[in-house]
Amino acid sequence: MKDGESMRKIVLVGCGSVGTAYAYSLVNQGFVTELVLIDANKEKAEGEAMDLVHGMAFASTNMRVYAGDYSDCKDARIVVITAGANQKPGETRLQLVERNTRIMQSIIQNIKKSGFDGIIVLASNPVDVLSYVAYKESGLPASRVIGSGTTLDSARFRVLLGEYFEVDPHNVHAVIVGEHGDSQLPVFSQASVGVESFDNLLERRNNEKDKENLTKIFGSVRNAAYEIINRKGVTNFGIGMCLTRITKAILNNEHSILPVSCLLNGEYGQEDIYMSVPAVVTREGVKEVIELKLNDNEQELFNKSADILREIRVK
């Protein structure tokens, strides 16, 4: 794999709502030197590239943006995949699995043919299952195949908790783990606001409504995608910004801890499965999986989430 300090070329596969939100976020943050757009509809990719380029006079840095093909993956640092069938109103992420597995297998084979040797980041749903598919198909080390996982769910969680406790969400340290979907779970046992644990915070507040309200907050997080899809048909801006955050952590070798979908090899009592857990993200991909000390109830829910993901994995 090429030197992470010098390589800032990104290839985006999929120019739908999520892909274009990600591309727009990249252009505005200005830490990438080259962005290649690939889509099954080549004219769509060309049009999106043209539109982004026309705003470059107002961007923070100069950046090459153009439509390309899979041969452009060869010297890319990261390939980001957002392609796939969209989640329809009332449809779960897991119901997408069969059709999106076939799509993912085809995409990965095309990427492999280019000689790509970088990091794959994907957000196509169901992301935990498709991350495993991409890992198996690509032949890359698991550390270099990363799903967006519960990055967005955890961001939603922090924002809503920040609103509830009336603090900056940057100071809320809380994570959603497991499936990026209906069986996800909040890790309240390890959450904190600033340097104060949730247990201490709740004891100090002594508000009998807190536990009930926190349960409602998690429900709002878990159902957020459905609520947004019911109103506007798709979720795109939040996940686009999350993909940008993951990209930045890789390119800048940040060693940031992010709740991404990655391969578990014994952590949390699980083997040979992609699930969303906190992990250290560097220029090499996932450097380390952080194994939180879950309480008994959280571990039970995590195991159930793993069982669900295994059950729907396409054989």
Side-chain angles (χ1 to χ4, degrees), residues 105-314:
Q105 289 170 333
S106 175
I107 289 171
I108 296 299
Q109 288 304 316
N110 284 323
I111 293 170
K112 280 180 69 174
K113 289 175 186 175
S114 75
F116 173 73
D117 190 37
I119 293 173
I120 292 174
V121 176
L122 63 152
S124 308
N125 276 320
V127 69
D128 305 293
V129 174
L130 294 182
S131 296
Y132 185 83
V133 171
Y135 159 59
K136 287 295 188 181
E137 289 287 328
S138 69
L140 293 171
S143 60
R144 288 199 264 142
V145 180
I146 306 170
S148 57
T150 54
T151 310
L152 178 55
D153 307 277
S154 298
R156 290 167 173 157
F157 195 36
R158 291 169 60 198
V159 166
L160 293 180
L161 290 172
E163 290 177 356
Y164 182 71
F165 291 118
E166 298 184 319
V167 297
D168 182 346
H170 290 89
N171 298 129
V172 177
H173 307 290
V175 67
I176 302 291
V177 299
E179 176 204 352
H180 171 55
D182 294 340
S183 69
Q184 64 184 229
L185 60 135
V187 187
F188 281 117
S189 67
Q190 300 297 316
S192 65
V193 174
V195 297
E196 185 177 22
S197 72
F198 260 42
D199 286 344
N200 286 346
L201 175 61
L202 297 183
E203 184 178 352
R204 178 169 59 81
R205 284 168 56 90
N206 193 28
N207 183 339
E208 62 180 18
K209 290 289 187 180
D210 274 348
K211 289 189 177 180
E212 177 186 344
N213 289 335
L214 290 177
T215 299
K216 289 179 181 178
I217 284 172
F218 169 61
S220 296
V221 170
R222 184 178 52 200
N223 295 324
Y226 299 124
E227 294 295 332
I228 295 169
I229 289 168
N230 285 339
R231 288 164 172 78
K232 59 174 275 191
V234 68
T235 63
N236 58 327
F237 294 122
I239 186 59
M241 294 173 72
C242 288
L243 287 169
T244 300
R245 180 69 191 92
I246 296 168
T247 301
K248 191 174 184 180
I250 294 169
L251 292 183
N252 291 347
N253 196 31
E254 290 183 1
H255 291 69
S256 293
I257 297 175
L258 298 170
V260 294
S261 188
C262 51
L263 186 69
L264 300 184
N265 284 310
E267 299 91 352
Y268 299 91
Q270 299 297 330
E271 292 271 1
D272 192 37
I273 188 170
Y274 265 70
M275 296 184 74
S276 300
V277 296
V280 179
V281 179
T282 74
R283 74 171 63 161
E284 302 299 324
V286 171
K287 180 183 179 183
E288 179 186 0
V289 171
I290 304 298
E291 188 168 10
L292 300 174
K293 185 174 177 58
L294 304 180
N295 64 32
D296 290 345
N297 181 59
E298 290 164 348
Q299 185 64 58
E300 182 180 355
L301 291 172
F302 191 89
N303 292 342
K304 287 180 179 177
S305 187
D307 291 342
I308 288 170
L309 288 171
R310 284 197 177 90
E311 181 66 27
I312 58 91
R313 184 189 294 172
V314 175

